[in-house]
Amino acid sequence: MNHHPRHYLAVSDLERDQLLQMINRAIELKKRHKQGIPHRPAVGKVLGMLFEKPSTRTRISFEAAMFQLGGDVSFMPSRDLQLKRGEPLKDTARVLSRYLDCLVVRTFGQEIVNELADWSDIPVINGLTDQHHPCQILSDIMTVMEFKGHDLPRLKVAWIGDGNNMSHSWIQAAARLGFQLTIACPEGFEPDQAILAEARAEASLPIEVIHDPRLAVKDADVINTDVWASMGQDDEAEKRRRIFRPFQVNSDLLADCEKDAIVLHCLPAHRGEEITEEVIEGRQSVVWDQAENKMHLHKAILEWAMRLQDQG
Ligand code: CP
Ligand code: NVA
């Protein structure tokens, strides 16, 4: 096995066709799963999951995906590894590469997943960093396609809230896959300028950053929000609650948008903060399908990363 490992650390790591193939494969795998057709190409493979932050969906959907593919999982809270006592990332990466077939990492800085990938002989998948959430975005777009069709350039997507990791993955996806994106955030909470500039240089349709949520949702087909304080920002939560108040996705805001617009939230949600109970439980919300799709999409990522389809 002398292949270069297939890392997936940010949306920009993959070409447009690869991203679309991944989503289409997930749609196919979802159909098969619903029909009860077994698909176990990962028998004998072990997925490692190195997590430094909490997770419900990403962890369990990757675990379920790997089990359903016939493989096994080793979940590694980073506090339990020698990493926590100072063992270098590059040593950890080389040792884990000798045991595992793939590694999903959830951590703080993007430089941590980059370094692990640089030293790994196995694929490293970013299961969320402070900068990106590249697996989440693919299952989100899969969900958008299920509800809005596959013609992405026709769609207008709105992001309401923080210019955070999820917003960065939306920005990169808008550039790579070609759809309109408008981000409405409070001043001072804009997405990373370098990520934005790089995406705009590539994009065929506008990627806008504005400060008026009403303008952003007008004519939008897809409305996204996310927590106001991400993991690692808990000490800013109180301050952010005040600043972000006008950016709540509530029925008043939705009154200004298309009646058939769908509302996405990668979850976990804070009802009464970024989204109201009424909206998340309302008819425009697709958050439970969105959460389900993570499992199907993660199967497609695991197949791709471990080259399970190449083995016929
Ligand atoms: N959406 C998401 O990544 O959720 P978890 O933090 O529960 O994994
Ligand atoms: N922006 C959120 C996403 C959680 C899935 C966070 O980083 O906490």
Side-chain angles (χ1 to χ4, degrees), residues 132-312:
H132 297 281
H133 199 358
C135 298
Q136 178 74 46
I137 189 71
L138 292 187
S139 41
D140 291 358
I141 292 170
M142 172 183 173
T143 311
V144 169
M145 285 178 165
E146 286 178 338
F147 284 89
K148 293 283 164 193
H150 286 233
D151 189 4
L152 293 176
R154 254 195 47 249
L155 298 179
K156 191 180 161 204
V157 178
W159 173 270
I160 311 298
D162 191 19
N164 62 12
N165 44 9
M166 277 304 307
S167 85
H168 295 156
S169 290
W170 272 104
I171 288 167
Q172 293 195 334
R176 205 74 5 146
L177 296 174
F179 55 84
Q180 272 191 65
L181 177 65
T182 305
I183 291 167
C185 62
E187 278 181 55
F189 295 87
E190 290 83 5
D192 181 84
Q193 288 306 312
I195 292 173
L196 202 51
E198 201 180 321
R200 280 177 173 156
E202 173 185 341
S204 48
L205 291 164
I207 300 174
E208 293 175 315
V209 178
I210 61 174
H211 302 296
D212 180 353
R214 292 194 178 275
L215 216 52
V217 300
K218 200 172 175 307
D219 307 325
D221 304 286
V222 179
I223 297 162
N224 280 282
T225 190
D226 186 14
V227 292
W228 290 339
S230 285
M231 289 179 276
Q233 298 173 329
D234 296 332
D235 51 348
E236 295 175 32
E238 190 50 49
K239 181 185 103 187
R240 283 170 172 260
R241 265 196 286 275
R242 283 194 304 274
I243 297 171
F244 281 78
R245 181 63 60 198
F247 293 82
Q248 184 183 68
V249 176
N250 53 33
S251 45
D252 182 40
L253 185 71
L254 292 191
D256 282 0
C257 76
E258 297 288 312
K259 292 285 163 279
D260 61 352
I262 54 171
V263 174
L264 279 82
H265 189 315
C266 67
L267 306 177
H270 293 72
R271 288 165 168 81
E273 294 188 23
E274 76 276 2
I275 195 162
T276 57
E277 171 82 7
E278 191 181 9
V279 169
I280 198 168
E281 302 292 352
R283 60 166 192 89
Q284 288 169 281
S285 164
V286 299
V287 301
W288 315 117
D289 293 296
Q290 183 187 359
E292 175 187 337
N293 285 340
K294 284 173 73 74
M295 181 178 79
H296 307 297
L297 196 282
H298 292 164
K299 279 187 194 167
I301 291 181
L302 291 170
E303 273 191 347
W304 167 80
M306 294 188 281
R307 301 173 195 268
L308 301 178
Q309 282 175 293
D310 303 359
Q311 293 163 9

